[in-house]
Amino acid sequence: MPVPIPRQRAIPAVESGQAPAASPGGSSMEEAPRKESKVENNTHTNLTLLLIEDDPGGSTVVPEMLDAAGKPIRVRTARNLTEAGRLLTDDVHCILLDLALPAPGRTGEEDELGVLKHVLELAPRHAVLALTASGDAERGAEAVRVGAQDYLFRDELDGRLLSRAIRYAVERKRSDTAERRLAEGRLRAQENRRLERGLLPTPLLEGSSLRFAARYRPGRSRALLGGDFYDVVRTADGTVHAMIGDVCGHGPDEAALGVELRIAWRALTLAGLCGDELLGTLQQVLEHERADDEIFATLCTVDIAPDGRRAGLCLAGHPSPLLARPGRAARLLPYDNNGPALGLLSGARWPRMQVELGAEWSLMLYTDGLIEGRIGEGRERLGQDGMVEMVRRQLAEGLRGEALLRAAVNEVRNLNGGELADDVAVLLLDRTV
């Protein structure tokens, strides 16, 4: 269907690109920010007005208008909403709507603002000025309550008033849109924070004499949760099970997968699984839930006997825990039987190693974010040996529990010269006599 030809108005020179004489009522307000409008006959216009009206007594007289730079404000006219839909292109900044125009499928008796509501649905990103009969201020005010930026009387239009009203409407619409987006962003951020806090683990250690501490620092900016995950539970037989893991990557998908693995680990542990059987089941969970076949996760699990003197250790591509005991230098637990990361090899096995802890000890589990930070401006990284030396020194200074973890994470960050790129999770279990 051909596009209807816009009807003639009082200022055909503006549409054709001929600059009219400067209006004495031209606005002196600052030029509003805008999108770059299209070029018609080599004339750049700063604002475009779409007039939607169908006056049986003749076309509404739209006075000549100039912007603050002296350029003409382009005007388009649509006789109905169908034409308006065709003329409503991206370079239209403001709509001047005659409220007397009937809404599609409605009569004026049903809803006197039906046409305005239809236009607001048709052009939710555009500023709208309502045009009403002289003296009908109540209807104009109602139009503003419905969603128009302002209202004008049909027989009181002049260049100065209309130019100012257009600029005000455009700026108010832009301000309202920015304010709404800001409020939506704040609400979304609050919801995300509440969700992430709810997904962080609550250790289940009731009845255990072990002390627990943890530090968590996601690598993603403004995030509370990263791809690292940990958990600690005590089963009915008195065994304390601890786990820490790391999903490759740093995005929200990796964080979600980490939460799924943590929850699965807790459920399987409370159901009585441990060691190779537990890790094999977790690998099945990861393979079903990951978005890409190349995604994998490292994991370290420790099950501490009820007497607290020995533990079983399983490593799936993960750094070995650090064990500290009174009178002895802190050291890493054996990692000779370190199995592959979850998701790398089908049918993989993860041997469970038996380790002696002793009567009094501290056991620190961590992710590689703690050891992969750089030392100064060079390319050298802290590594496991550097971490062991750092923790030994901090223990010698008398740091324990939460204070030890806080000092370790802060020192690694300072050595790196700023925020760490990777997620960092560290948990500490202490047994004292």
Side-chain angles (χ1 to χ4, degrees):
M1 176 180 290
V3 178
I5 300 174
R7 60 192 297 184
Q8 294 295 318
R9 301 177 312 283
I11 51 168
V14 175
E15 186 76 294
S16 64
Q18 302 173 17
S23 171
S27 172
S28 61
M29 296 176 64
E30 294 183 2
E31 180 181 349
R34 61 177 178 86
K35 295 181 179 179
E36 184 66 24
S37 60
K38 295 181 179 178
V39 179
E40 290 188 5
N41 296 333
N42 298 322
T43 299
H44 293 269
T45 58
N46 290 314
L47 291 175
T48 299
L49 176 71
L50 176 60
L51 171 63
I52 308 176
E53 59 86 27
D54 187 15
D55 185 0
S59 176
T60 300
V61 176
V62 178
E64 297 176 352
M65 296 174 293
L66 299 176
D67 62 20
K71 297 179 180 179
I73 295 178
R74 183 175 57 186
V75 181
R76 296 176 182 173
T77 299
R79 294 168 294 184
N80 52 54
L81 296 179
T82 301
E83 285 187 17
R86 298 191 183 100
L87 296 175
L88 193 61
T89 53
D90 289 339
D91 59 340
V92 173
H93 299 85
C94 185
I95 298 172
L96 181 59
L97 173 66
D98 187 353
L99 295 181
L101 194 69
R106 301 179 181 222
T107 65
E109 299 297 329
E110 293 177 353
D111 187 352
E112 61 179 8
L113 294 178
V115 66
L116 173 61
K117 296 175 182 177
H118 184 88
V119 168
L120 292 175
E121 293 176 0
L122 181 67
R125 297 182 292 106
H126 292 75
V128 177
L129 289 171
L131 191 62
T132 187
S134 178
D136 196 0
E138 183 176 351
R139 190 180 188 188
E142 181 63 24
V144 173
R145 283 192 290 270
V146 168
Q149 273 61 58
D150 204 349
Y151 68 92
L152 300 169
F153 294 132
R154 187 179 297 107
D155 56 354
E156 294 182 6
L157 294 180
D158 62 64
R160 181 182 181 84
L161 173 64
L162 185 54
S163 176
R164 184 171 61 247
I166 293 171
R167 295 182 177 280
Y168 169 75
V170 170
E171 288 302 320
R172 181 175 178 182
K173 182 66 176 180
R174 183 179 289 112
S175 175
D176 290 346
T177 300
E179 185 176 353
R180 185 184 71 252
R181 289 176 178 172
L182 180 61
E184 291 174 350
R186 287 173 177 170
L187 180 60
R188 190 179 303 112
Q190 291 173 358
E191 292 174 346
N192 289 342
R193 283 194 292 269
R194 284 195 296 267
L195 176 62
E196 290 180 329
R197 287 192 188 100
L199 293 175
L200 289 173
T202 301
L204 299 179
L205 283 174
E206 184 177 357
S208 173
S209 61
L210 301 182
R211 292 185 302 176
F212 168 83
R215 295 286 290 178
Y216 195 99
R217 196 183 192 95
R220 287 186 298 136
S221 175
R222 301 180 183 178
L224 296 178
L225 199 64
D228 292 3
F229 53 99
Y230 66 89
D231 205 352
V232 179
V233 299
R234 180 178 183 268
T235 50
D237 62 356
T239 302
V240 172
H241 303 261
M243 171 271 291
I244 195 164
D246 182 3
V247 177
C248 66
H250 313 289
D253 291 339
E254 289 76 12
L257 182 56
V259 171
E260 291 180 277
L261 292 174
R262 180 186 66 78
I263 294 174
W265 176 87
R266 174 175 286 199
L268 294 170
T269 299
L270 293 176
L273 275 68
C274 69
D276 185 72
E277 185 181 12
L278 172 59
L279 291 175
T281 307
L282 283 178
Q283 174 158 282
Q284 294 180 34
V285 174
L286 182 145
E287 290 172 345
H288 283 88
E289 297 297 329
R290 62 187 176 183
D292 190 289
D293 289 343
E294 296 184 357
I295 293 177
F296 62 90
T298 65
L299 199 69
C300 168
T301 67
V302 176
D303 54 279
I304 302 170
D307 64 7
R309 302 181 67 90
R310 62 190 185 280
L313 171 66
C314 285
L315 297 174
H318 200 87
S320 183
L322 180 146
L323 175 66
R325 292 184 287 186
R328 300 186 183 183
R331 64 180 178 86
L332 297 176
L333 290 180
Y335 49 88
D336 298 338
N337 291 326
N338 196 333
L342 302 182
L344 290 183
L345 297 176
S346 178
R349 303 298 299 271
W350 296 271
R352 178 177 176 272
M353 297 173 283
Q354 189 75 19
V355 295
E356 294 295 327
L357 301 177
E360 189 170 353
W361 47 264
S362 295
L363 188 64
M364 189 175 83
L365 283 66
Y366 54 93
T367 58
D368 59 7
L370 188 69
I371 61 177
E372 291 189 348
R374 299 186 183 278
I375 301 177
E377 298 181 357
R379 303 186 62 179
E380 184 181 358
R381 299 185 182 274
L382 178 64
Q384 285 183 288
D385 292 340
M387 181 205 66
V388 172
E389 291 299 323
M390 177 187 70
V391 173
R392 285 176 179 173
R393 173 171 41 80
Q394 292 168 344
L395 287 169
E397 295 171 357
L399 297 177
R400 298 291 186 275
E402 180 70 26
L404 174 64
L405 299 188
R406 185 185 308 111
V409 173
N410 288 342
E411 182 167 340
V412 168
R413 179 180 175 275
N414 292 336
L415 289 172
N416 189 61
E419 290 295 340
L420 299 167
D422 200 0
D423 305 326
V424 177
V426 193
L427 69 87
L428 188 69
L429 290 170
D430 292 306
R431 184 175 190 265
T432 58
V433 178

